[in-house]
Amino acid sequence: MTPRAVFACDPARSRGRLYAEAPSATRTAFQRDRDRIIHATAFRRLKHKTQVFVAAYDDHFRTRLTHSLEVAQIARTLARQLGLDEDLTETLALAHDLGHPAFGHAGETTLNACMAAHDGFDHNAQTIRVLTFLEQRYAAFDGLNLSWETLEGLAKHNGPVTAPPWALRLYQQEHDLELDSYPSLEAQIAAIADDIAYNTHDLDDGLRSGLFALEEALLVPIVAEAWFEASARFPTAPHSRLVPEMVRILVGRLTGDVLAATQALLNAADPRTPEAVRAAGRPLAGFSAALAGEVRALKGFLRTALYKHPQVLALTGPGQQIIADLFAHYLDDPGRMPAEWAQQAVAPPHGLARLVADFVAGMTDRFAIRRHQALTGRALLVV
């Protein structure tokens, strides 16, 4: 087992929680955070939220939940090899998409447009809002009262936040997450694990869907190399077995590159504490320069061949209309929301538009589809 690195976050030295709580007798602070996320309503809803394919339409494609689990698996592997805190890394991976609305990034784009006059909508900031306010499972406080390190990592996993969205500005007033610095290495590793997971599993799902052919994917050099390696290892295996082998090889190559490149960055920077990682002024985790270019090529292929494929847009387009219609309807008539939400509309603490956005953002694909049909009598999508 790799010993704890000097730059790893130590749960025994956590900066604590916004609301003081007695420590657990059986779990570290970060293990406790992970468990609270797993039991959260928002986490369960991820199983019916779009990753690429609308979640209501097929049981075999990734959803936001299975995506998050794959990110967590890769993140733990990386953290273990680097001597980081595995529990914090896993926690960040599991929670990173809790603020995503239905219908994937298309849904987020629509909700942001709906909120243009009300400080906008950002799924990363909404994750913080979910975890600090919207989850109401404890008698003593709103949210899950997670540790500073977990909230910091979720707020800054893509780097310093120079222009924080509204939800982050609001929380900053109570609990300074030091948004102008880089996050812990655990957060940086969770972010790169997200890249590895979605690039490889979207390739897998795209091939399974038939929206692009293997021959098209093999025009991407990194995919071709993994395919030829799989074919050489198993020359008599059918394509149905070789594609998973190819994806597995690709995950291994990306993970190995991150480990080597990150170790080189750490050797050069020589951080001796987690605070030194935050003060480094640049990321200390990532791909090598050579592989980063190959990953960009894979992303470009997936953007054209999958994310913008007419059959994908044929589902996400109506999904965007559903979100726009629901937002407009509830903003005009908040009494049509469920009772626990309609009651808040009498004096919404952060404005009626934000209340409606919170409600709509929490919907799963299928709940949004059914609500829209019940309110409008139109079936834009069928569950």
Side-chain angles (χ1 to χ4, degrees):
M1 183 176 179
T2 305
R4 180 184 294 275
V6 294
F7 45 75
C9 289
D10 184 349
R13 298 182 178 181
S14 170
R15 299 196 197 183
R17 306 174 188 275
L18 180 60
Y19 304 101
E21 295 184 65
S24 168
T26 57
R27 296 167 295 169
T28 70
F30 304 149
Q31 289 169 345
R32 203 175 190 184
D33 285 355
R34 177 199 58 209
D35 296 348
R36 289 183 176 187
I37 285 164
I38 288 173
H39 287 278
T41 301
F43 185 73
R44 292 194 296 276
R45 286 177 180 157
L46 293 179
K47 70 179 179 179
H48 293 302
K49 287 193 175 186
T50 294
Q51 176 62 27
V52 174
F53 297 92
V54 172
Y57 281 83
D58 193 287
D59 292 335
H60 297 108
F61 297 129
R62 272 74 170 189
T63 64
R64 283 284 158 189
L65 178 60
T66 58
H67 161 68
S68 298
L69 294 173
E70 292 188 34
V71 175
Q73 177 267 318
I74 294 169
R76 282 198 76 114
T77 297
L78 291 168
R80 185 178 304 120
Q81 294 300 312
L82 292 167
L84 303 177
D85 189 280
E86 290 182 44
D87 298 311
L88 176 58
T89 311
E90 180 184 27
T91 299
L92 296 169
L94 292 173
H96 78 283
D97 269 351
L98 290 180
H100 246 298
F103 309 116
H105 288 286
E108 178 181 14
T109 298
T110 300
L111 201 48
N112 184 45
C114 292
M115 289 292 290
H118 308 281
D119 291 302
F121 179 90
D122 173 85
H123 85 268
N124 288 320
Q126 189 71 6
T127 294
I128 298 297
R129 184 158 171 79
V130 166
L131 294 173
T132 61
F133 180 70
L134 294 175
E135 283 285 331
Q136 299 188 352
R137 305 178 62 83
Y138 293 86
F141 45 77
D142 291 334
L144 302 184
N145 198 31
L146 302 178
S147 69
W148 184 91
E149 290 78 7
T150 292
L151 294 174
E152 179 237 12
L154 291 168
K156 304 189 302 190
H157 64 274
N158 290 323
V161 183
T162 55
W166 173 83
L168 277 182
R169 296 201 306 271
L170 182 69
Y171 190 70
Q172 277 287 98
Q173 296 172 13
E174 296 186 273
H175 201 187
D176 183 10
L177 298 178
E178 300 177 3
L179 296 178
D180 57 349
S181 67
Y182 279 85
S184 65
L185 200 61
E186 284 84 354
Q188 295 182 42
I189 285 298
I192 202 74
D194 184 26
D195 273 5
I196 294 172
Y198 76 71
N199 279 300
T200 54
H201 69 47
D202 288 357
L203 174 67
D204 189 24
D205 279 352
L207 289 168
R208 176 190 287 273
S209 72
L211 296 186
F212 56 81
L214 177 61
E215 291 72 21
E216 297 174 82
L218 294 182
L219 296 175
V220 181
I222 194 172
V223 177
E225 291 169 12
W227 173 257
F228 293 135
E229 183 177 338
S231 301
R233 286 187 193 177
F234 306 100
T236 62
H239 279 201
S240 61
R241 297 291 185 95
L242 286 178
V243 168
E245 291 292 342
M246 175 188 73
V247 173
R248 193 173 298 116
I249 289 167
L250 192 55
V251 171
R253 182 179 178 195
L254 295 175
T255 301
D257 182 84
V258 167
L259 285 173
T262 299
Q263 192 60 64
L265 289 168
L266 290 169
N267 291 342
D270 193 27
R272 309 303 297 173
T273 65
E275 287 69 31
V277 172
R278 295 184 175 98
R282 60 189 175 97
L284 295 181
F287 295 111
S288 65
L291 201 64
E294 295 196 54
V295 171
R296 284 194 296 272
L298 175 56
K299 288 182 178 181
F301 168 76
L302 290 171
R303 186 180 305 112
T304 300
L306 182 60
Y307 308 144
K308 294 187 177 181
H309 193 284
Q311 289 187 38
V312 172
L313 298 178
L315 295 177
T316 54
Q320 289 183 290
Q321 187 63 56
I322 286 171
I323 285 182
D325 289 348
L326 288 172
F327 181 87
H329 185 93
Y330 291 125
L331 189 63
D332 182 63
D333 187 3
R336 297 294 296 275
M337 291 190 291
E340 64 269 24
W341 290 88
Q343 290 166 5
Q344 298 177 61
V346 176
H350 304 126
L352 180 58
R354 186 61 59 179
L355 178 71
V356 171
D358 287 339
F359 177 53
V360 173
M363 292 181 176
T364 63
D365 293 8
R366 65 182 186 178
F367 183 76
I369 291 168
R370 289 169 176 164
R371 274 271 166 174
H372 183 268
Q373 186 170 0
L375 290 170
T376 68
R378 293 181 292 145
L380 297 185
L381 293 170
V382 179
V383 179

